[in-house]
């Protein structure tokens, strides 16, 4: 059964359609990367999934339960970490977790245990008695993640958990997410920074202007949407010859020169990975001396730019 | 079966934990109590310093008690009016602004539990302020003049006002979503409420030259407080500069209402006092604001209440409607249209105090009029001597009872009645007639009627050094409406002077006190 499934999910704010006819399916145990530029509708989608917004049209089911029917049952299944969140003033770290544990009706004895366990998990055990407002950004982020875990939910909705973190904290957050996946939880993690999701996600969804442009396994992204890409090629042999060889090959579009990159060529190319490998072979066979041939299987970032090309505001 | 867990609302726990942290909660509490303390102390000093100088009447300890109690009640009400909205106007908007609201709503906590928890914990702080001031108000019991029921009445009005104005703040907080905006609008609404209910009745009384209908005063917390405290009867407590303290609060009563027995029970038609209507209205307003807020805080499915909600709503409407019908059954619509001031002055308010503590105020004995023996007894026309005796007996009985309730009965159980009448000892503006000697038959008949009293009544001036009480009676003035006005005062070395103008009427052949005032125009 899918952990989360949406059918025709639409949400309008006045004239703006933030989420447009979204069909999404996330398998149980998956670490799903939800990717899109700022304002694409990621946060709105996550809030719809968490039952914090009412959809204009469509439906969300969480483990088979329609969110609109029984939001409270869904709330017990889901842990939600918003992208921007505040902390209460004048509250100690343990009180903060204790408070949310109370919200989930966790009995007193278990509550104490949960607080200790979670503080260990997110590495805040030393800050137990510190005041929440004195924590650093990264610590707050981890505390917020911990708050979403107090009731041991099956599904975690994490909205930009790594935003604003320094590289080290980002690595730690990534480790934490992997650990949570290993614990058997389903994670839906949104981000506009793709490099961090690329390594840990097994499935991604790309959203832009409220529309889901792609959803599937990471490898498929390259295969499906990597049809048109930009290659960077560095040639040390004769330039004219190389250009001629390039133009011979099917799928090669415009070729330009990147001045600032020491005379590299930028080649627009459409075709799958096999076609790409063929281009490489063709160039080599044509006697072109290559020292650099890149961008073919670029990172998710490039795919993302491709997919959302021209539509990013 | 799901186990029923009667846990505390987690919001209340969280709010109480963080509310009392830091200096702010304590600074507000300290400032609140200091301000009230200063008002009471200042008032006491003013009264002690100006005793007897304004209006000429000596001051009783009970008067000090009443004045301080009244001033405390009004200042506390003023503070509650302005502190409560500040605490509740940020309840929901604050969560939204701090971006913590989504996290709360993502928990199984119901939105109305969030609302309830935050509302209660904000009110608990106001309650703390109110109850922290109770010991200060009970200082008044040292001076006397205030009954514990008065304190309860004041507390009811303070609490109702706090809850209602808190609910108004809560509503705007949920509606507007911005704390600053919600706070400004809430204050604007409250100030408008107080201003409108003060200025409109005043304007009414000036333009129409008559009392405004009672209903205009119902929405004002200050009108409620005035009616609960009976401060409009200006005893010696409010003669002098301290009266300025009360002036702003008396505004709702206009110029005509001021100085009349507004809150007192009206002779004849027994209408509920104004404050009971205020409390009723406020409960309705609170319910309205709170129920609207519960819908506004829902993230999804607003305005859909379901059958359980509908049942609850029906129950609330039924209870409230029942209460309103009860009021209507007893008072009818007259309660809304009648003028706030009764047409006849209200009866003497008995002051129940256990003991009187001496204040540093000297109470000189009154001048005892020398009976002008040379004057022939001039009978009051149209009133028979029997009637006069009956009237005097009622007056003396009433005066003696009041004296007893203020303190212990006079030391020796002898009360001296002066044979010569004297008007103007209680209030110079009272009806006046020449001093005359009471006819023998009236004297005898009066004492005969009083024979069941525990004291002995004698018709002569007290011998030198005697500590018995002295009663000075005025002339009987027959009014056009068949009522009679008699002034009377009682002096006792222990108590000082108490005096009153009585209004009596013959009902079924028996003379009864139907009113009394110190201020009859």
């Amino acid at each position: 059964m899918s952990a989360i499934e949406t059918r025709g999910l639409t949400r309008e704010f006045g004239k703006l359609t933030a989420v447009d006819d979204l069909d999404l399916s996330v398998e149980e145990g998956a670490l799903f990367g939800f990717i899109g530029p700022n304002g694409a509708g990621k946060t709105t989608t996550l809030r719809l999934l968490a039952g914090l917004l009412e959809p204009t049209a469509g439906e969300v089911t969480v483990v088979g339960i329609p969110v609109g029917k029984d939001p409270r049952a869904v709330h017990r299944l889901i842990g939600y970490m918003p992208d921007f969140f505040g902390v209460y003033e004048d509250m100690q770290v343990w009180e903060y977790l204790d408070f949310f544990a109370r919200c989930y009706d966790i009995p007193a004895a278990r509550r104490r245990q949960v607080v200790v366990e979670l503080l260990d998990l997110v590495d805040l055990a030393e800050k137990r008695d510190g005041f929440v407002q004195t924590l650093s950004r990264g610590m707050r982020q981890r505390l917020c993640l911990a708050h979403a875990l107090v009731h041991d939910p099956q599904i975690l909705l994490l909205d930009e958990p790594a935003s604003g973190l320094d590289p080290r904290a980002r690595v730690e957050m990534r480790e934490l997410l992997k650990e949570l996946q290993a614990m058997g939880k389903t994670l839906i993690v949104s981000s506009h920074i793709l490099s961090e999701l690329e390594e840990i996600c097994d499935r991604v969804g790309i959203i832009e202007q409220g529309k889901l442009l792609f959803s599937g396994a990471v490898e498929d992204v390259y295969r499906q949407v990597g049809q048109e890409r930009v290659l960077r090629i560095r040639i040390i042999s004769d330039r004219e010859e190389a250009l001629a060889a390039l133009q011979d090959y099917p799928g090669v579009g415009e070729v330009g020169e990147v001045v600032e990159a020491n005379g590299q060529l930028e080649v627009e190319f459409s075709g799958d990975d096999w076609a790409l490998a063929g281009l490489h072979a063709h160039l080599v066979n044509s006697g072109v001396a290559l020292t650099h041939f890149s961008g073919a299987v670029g990172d998710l970032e490039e795919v993302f730019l491709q997919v959302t090309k021209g539509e990013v505001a | 079966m799901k186990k029923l867990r009667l846990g505390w609302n987690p919001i209340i726990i969280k709010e109480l934990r963080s509310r009392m942290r830091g200096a702010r909660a304590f600074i507000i509490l300290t400032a609140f109590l200091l301000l009230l303390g200063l008002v009471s102390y200042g008032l006491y000093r003013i009264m002690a310093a100006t005793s007897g100088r304004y209006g000429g009447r000596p001051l009783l300890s009970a008067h000090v008690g009443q004045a301080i109690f009244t001033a405390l009640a009004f200042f506390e009400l003023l503070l509650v009016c302005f502190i409560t909205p500040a605490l509740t106007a940020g309840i929901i908007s604050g969560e939204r602004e701090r971006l913590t609201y989504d996290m709360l709503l993502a928990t199984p906590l119901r939105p109305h539990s969030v609302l309830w928890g935050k509302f209660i914990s904000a009110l608990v702080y106001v309650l703390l302020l109110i109850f922290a001031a109770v010991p200060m108000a009970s200082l008044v019991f040292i001076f006397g003049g205030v009954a514990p029921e008065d304190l309860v009445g004041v507390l009811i009005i303070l609490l109702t006002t706090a809850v209602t104005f808190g609910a108004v703040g809560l509503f705007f907080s949920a509606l507007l979503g911005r704390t600053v905006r919600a706070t400004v609008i809430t204050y604007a609404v409250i100030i408008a409420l107080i201003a409108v209910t003060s200025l409109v009745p005043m304007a009414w009384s000036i333009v129409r030259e008559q009392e405004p209908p009672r209903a205009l005063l119902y929405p004002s917390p200050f009108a409620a407080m005035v009616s609960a405290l009976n401060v409009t009867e200006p005893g010696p407590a409010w003669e002098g500069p301290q009266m300025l303290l009360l002036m702003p609060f008396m505004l709702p009563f206009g110029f005509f209402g001021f100085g009349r027995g507004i809150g007192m029970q009206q002779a004849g038609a027994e209408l509920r006092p104004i404050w009971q209507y205020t409390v009723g209205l406020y409960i309705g307003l609170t319910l309205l604001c709170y129920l609207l807020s519960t819908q506004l805080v829902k993230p999804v499915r607003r305005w859909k209440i379901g059958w359980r909600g509908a049942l609850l709503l029906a129950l609330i409407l039924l209870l409230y409607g029942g209460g309103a019908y009860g009021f209507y059954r007893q008072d009818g619509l007259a309660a809304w249209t009648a003028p706030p001031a009764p047409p006849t002055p209200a009866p003497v308010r008995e002051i129940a105090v256990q003991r009187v503590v001496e204040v540093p105020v000297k109470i000189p004995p009154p001048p005892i009029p020398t009976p002008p023996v040379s004057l022939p007894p001039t009978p009051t026309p149209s009133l028979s001597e029997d009637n006069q005796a009956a009237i005097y007996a009622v007056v003396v009985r009433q005066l003696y009872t009041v004296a007893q309730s203020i303190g212990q009965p006079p030391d020796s159980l002898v009360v001296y009645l002066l044979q010569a009448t004297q008007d103007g000892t209680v209030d110079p503006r009272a009806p006046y007639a020449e001093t005359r000697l009471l006819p023998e038959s009236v004297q005898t008949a009066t004492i005969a009627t009083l024979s069941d009293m525990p004291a002995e009544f004698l018709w002569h001036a007290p011998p030198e050094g005697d500590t018995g009480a002295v009663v000075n009676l005025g002339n009987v003035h027959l009014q056009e409406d068949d009522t009679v006005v008699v002034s009377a005062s009682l002096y006792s070395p222990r108590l000082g002077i108490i005096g009153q103008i009585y209004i009596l009427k013959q009902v079924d052949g028996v003379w009864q006190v139907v009113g009394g005032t110190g201020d009859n125009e």
Side-chain angles (χ1 to χ4, degrees):
Chain A
M1 193 196 288
S2 299
I4 283 192
E5 203 162 326
T6 71
R7 272 186 300 276
L9 190 64
T10 304
R11 170 72 201 204
E12 287 162 7
F13 294 104
K15 281 182 185 164
L16 180 83
T17 307
V19 176
D20 193 356
D21 198 21
L22 201 71
D23 292 309
L24 194 70
S25 176
V26 180
E27 293 300 309
E28 261 176 59
L31 206 169
F32 186 87
F34 199 46
I35 295 151
N38 293 330
K42 300 186 300 284
T43 297
T44 308
T45 308
L46 288 182
R47 296 187 65 206
L48 284 164
L49 298 185
L52 298 175
L53 270 182
E54 206 164 14
T56 311
E59 199 189 24
V60 181
T61 53
V62 174
V63 208
I65 305 168
V67 171
K69 283 255 172 63
D70 195 352
R72 276 158 53 81
V74 170
H75 286 155
R76 291 188 187 276
L77 294 170
I78 282 180
Y80 172 67
M81 173 179 172
D83 56 345
F84 296 106
F85 57 90
V87 288
Y88 296 106
E89 302 278 300
D90 291 326
M91 236 185 157
Q92 292 175 337
V93 169
W94 76 269
E95 284 175 346
Y96 186 81
L97 292 180
D98 180 77
F99 164 62
F100 281 102
R102 280 174 196 269
C103 291
Y104 285 97
D105 286 335
I106 295 168
R110 174 87 191 108
R111 219 157 51 216
R112 275 188 286 275
Q113 208 180 329
V114 163
V115 170
V116 172
E117 284 170 12
L118 285 179
L119 287 178
D120 273 341
L121 180 72
V122 299
D123 208 13
L124 285 173
E126 282 171 32
K127 292 282 178 182
R128 185 184 178 278
D129 295 326
F131 279 93
V132 174
Q133 67 263 34
T134 64
L135 295 184
S136 73
R137 173 91 204 218
M139 290 175 180
R140 285 187 194 196
Q141 219 106 340
R142 295 206 300 269
L143 182 63
C144 189
L145 180 60
H147 114 271
L149 291 166
V150 285
H151 55 303
D152 195 21
Q154 291 177 36
I155 300 164
L156 280 170
L157 303 176
L158 310 178
D159 202 353
E160 305 263 2
S163 73
L165 296 187
D166 59 50
R168 189 187 167 75
R170 212 170 280 192
V171 171
E172 283 170 4
M173 181 61 79
R174 221 181 299 172
E175 294 302 314
L176 206 52
L177 298 187
K178 274 191 208 164
E179 209 175 314
L180 289 169
Q181 193 194 14
M183 287 159 74
K185 298 190 187 306
T186 310
L187 285 90
I188 297 181
V189 183
S190 84
S191 180
H192 64 282
I193 302 161
L194 304 154
S195 44
E196 66 200 18
L197 290 183
E198 186 179 9
E199 289 168 35
I200 54 169
C201 291
D202 29 44
R203 302 187 77 81
V204 292
I206 297 177
I207 186 174
E208 227 243 323
Q209 292 201 328
K211 291 198 176 73
L212 194 65
L213 301 179
F214 172 83
S215 172
V218 176
E219 309 86 66
D220 294 342
V221 178
Y222 306 126
R223 214 169 296 145
Q224 266 191 32
V225 299
Q227 296 295 317
E228 194 164 292
R229 44 191 130 186
V230 177
L231 311 176
R232 284 203 175 174
I233 301 171
R234 192 177 202 177
I235 304 152
I236 49 172
S237 59
D238 185 56
R239 190 167 269 261
E240 297 303 316
E241 257 177 53
L243 283 175
L246 274 171
Q247 302 293 358
D248 283 350
Y249 197 79
V252 173
E254 226 166 273
V255 179
E257 195 168 325
V258 189
V259 180
E260 66 269 28
N262 206 10
Q264 283 185 15
L265 292 178
E266 212 170 58
V267 181
E268 279 183 12
F269 179 76
S270 56
D272 61 10
D273 286 359
W274 286 106
L276 193 67
L279 175 63
H280 185 257
H282 172 72
L283 288 176
V284 173
N285 291 340
S286 309
V288 177
L290 289 167
T291 59
H292 188 89
F293 186 94
S294 75
V297 187
D299 47 17
L300 208 46
E301 199 94 33
E302 214 144 319
V303 175
F304 173 69
L305 286 173
Q306 285 292 325
V307 170
T308 62
K309 191 171 171 185
E311 294 175 50
V312 184
Chain B
M1 208 179 106
K2 201 181 150 194
K3 202 175 140 199
L4 184 71
R5 215 175 356 248
L6 284 170
W8 276 84
N9 183 325
I11 303 277
I12 295 187
I13 300 207
K14 175 193 94 62
E15 290 285 313
L16 293 188
R17 260 180 189 160
S18 47
R19 164 104 48 210
M20 297 312 285
R21 258 185 202 138
R24 211 181 54 168
F26 295 97
I27 289 174
I28 293 178
L29 181 59
T30 311
F32 182 80
L33 292 178
L34 267 180
L35 193 62
L36 292 181
L38 278 177
V39 167
S40 340
Y41 184 69
L43 189 59
Y44 169 71
R45 299 302 302 192
I46 291 175
M47 290 187 77
T50 61
S51 162
R53 242 184 277 167
Y54 301 85
R57 270 182 284 172
L59 198 61
L60 282 181
S61 146
H63 294 140
V64 180
Q66 285 173 344
I68 290 180
F69 185 71
T70 308
L72 272 181
F74 279 108
F75 273 86
E76 219 180 322
L77 184 63
L78 190 69
L79 292 174
V80 163
C81 280
F82 288 97
I83 289 175
T84 321
L87 291 172
T88 61
I91 281 183
I92 298 302
S93 47
E95 291 280 337
R96 288 204 173 125
E97 281 162 359
R98 243 181 301 139
L99 303 167
T100 45
Y101 195 50
D102 267 4
M103 280 152 85
L104 276 186
L105 292 181
T107 69
L109 218 56
R110 287 195 171 92
H112 70 76
S113 306
V114 177
L115 192 73
W116 177 247
K118 301 216 90 180
F119 187 47
I120 288 297
S121 36
L123 285 183
V124 160
Y125 185 69
V126 183
L127 296 198
L128 174 73
L129 293 184
I130 293 175
F131 283 108
V134 167
M136 190 167 302
S138 56
L139 271 183
V140 164
F141 293 129
I142 292 175
F143 292 103
V146 177
E149 304 93 88
D150 294 342
L151 185 58
V152 173
V154 167
L155 280 180
I156 289 176
I157 292 172
L158 283 175
L159 295 182
T160 319
T161 307
V163 171
T164 307
F165 287 5
V168 171
L170 177 81
F171 169 70
F172 284 115
S173 181
L175 181 72
L176 300 172
R178 287 272 166 274
T179 303
V180 174
R181 223 181 292 165
T183 311
V184 169
I185 301 273
T186 309
Y187 276 127
V189 166
I190 286 172
I191 289 171
L193 180 85
I194 293 171
V196 166
T197 51
S198 302
L199 299 178
V200 169
M202 194 171 82
W204 181 297
S205 63
I206 292 171
V207 173
R208 301 224 180 161
E209 299 207 347
Q210 66 183 45
E211 301 289 350
R214 270 164 59 111
L216 280 180
L217 299 174
Y218 289 165
S220 165
F222 293 107
M225 197 57 104
V226 170
S227 84
L229 285 171
N230 288 327
V231 281
T232 45
E233 186 210 19
W238 295 108
E239 284 163 1
Q242 63 267 24
M243 197 190 72
L244 291 177
L245 271 178
L246 268 193
M247 284 294 271
F249 303 112
M250 303 298 295
L251 262 183
F253 296 92
F255 294 129
F256 286 84
F258 190 75
R260 296 269 186 88
I262 289 164
M264 299 182 174
Q265 289 203 321
Q266 209 167 331
E270 302 244 319
L271 294 177
R272 275 168 199 277
I274 288 172
W275 69 268
Q276 293 190 5
Y277 279 90
T278 307
V279 168
L281 275 185
Y282 276 17
I283 290 174
L285 184 60
T286 305
L287 286 175
L288 183 71
C289 284
Y290 187 81
L291 292 178
L292 285 176
S293 305
T294 56
Q295 293 305 308
L296 289 171
V297 294
K298 278 192 194 170
V300 294
R301 295 201 290 178
R302 278 186 188 179
W303 312 115
K304 290 179 191 165
I305 49 175
W307 66 269
R308 221 184 280 177
L311 209 65
L312 192 69
L313 195 65
L315 189 71
I316 289 172
L317 283 178
L318 203 70
L319 281 177
Y320 192 72
Y325 182 68
F327 272 51
Y328 174 73
R329 269 288 292 276
Q330 196 182 337
D331 287 353
L333 289 177
W336 296 79
T337 51
T344 49
V348 184
R349 186 155 182 265
E350 292 190 4
I351 305 161
V353 195
Q354 290 311 305
R355 67 204 182 88
V356 174
V357 172
E358 297 228 352
V359 280
V361 174
K362 280 186 201 142
I363 305 168
I368 293 167
T370 23
V373 192
S374 56
L375 282 170
T378 45
T380 309
S382 76
L383 265 180
S384 69
E385 291 188 347
D386 283 352
N387 272 330
Q388 287 183 46
I391 289 165
Y392 282 131
V394 169
V395 166
V396 170
R397 188 184 294 271
Q398 180 94 18
L399 203 53
Y400 184 82
T401 313
V402 172
Q404 248 184 333
S405 68
I406 288 180
Q408 59 279 75
D411 288 351
S412 68
L413 285 172
V414 179
V415 177
Y416 299 98
L417 306 173
L418 300 178
Q419 290 158 302
T421 61
Q422 194 178 30
D423 281 338
T425 55
V426 175
D427 190 317
R429 285 170 295 172
Y432 184 80
E434 287 298 316
T435 296
R436 69 187 183 100
L437 206 55
L438 288 171
E440 197 79 33
S441 59
V442 172
Q443 297 181 15
T444 327
T446 305
I447 288 181
T449 317
L450 291 169
S451 58
D452 61 318
M453 297 287 282
E456 188 186 354
F457 294 90
L458 299 171
W459 280 104
H460 56 75
E464 199 66 42
D466 192 285
T467 54
V470 182
V471 169
N472 188 343
L473 293 164
N475 289 312
V476 175
H477 299 271
L478 185 64
Q479 305 293 300
E480 282 171 6
D481 58 353
D482 286 338
T483 59
V484 294
V485 174
V486 186
S487 54
S489 59
L490 180 146
Y491 167 78
S492 141
R494 285 289 286 272
L495 293 174
I497 298 174
I498 51 169
Q500 188 82 20
I501 296 173
Y502 293 98
I503 295 168
L504 294 94
K505 197 174 182 179
Q506 202 168 22
V507 183
D508 300 330
V510 180
W511 286 96
Q512 288 179 356
V513 174
V514 292
T517 180
D519 190 357
N520 196 4
E521 281 145 294

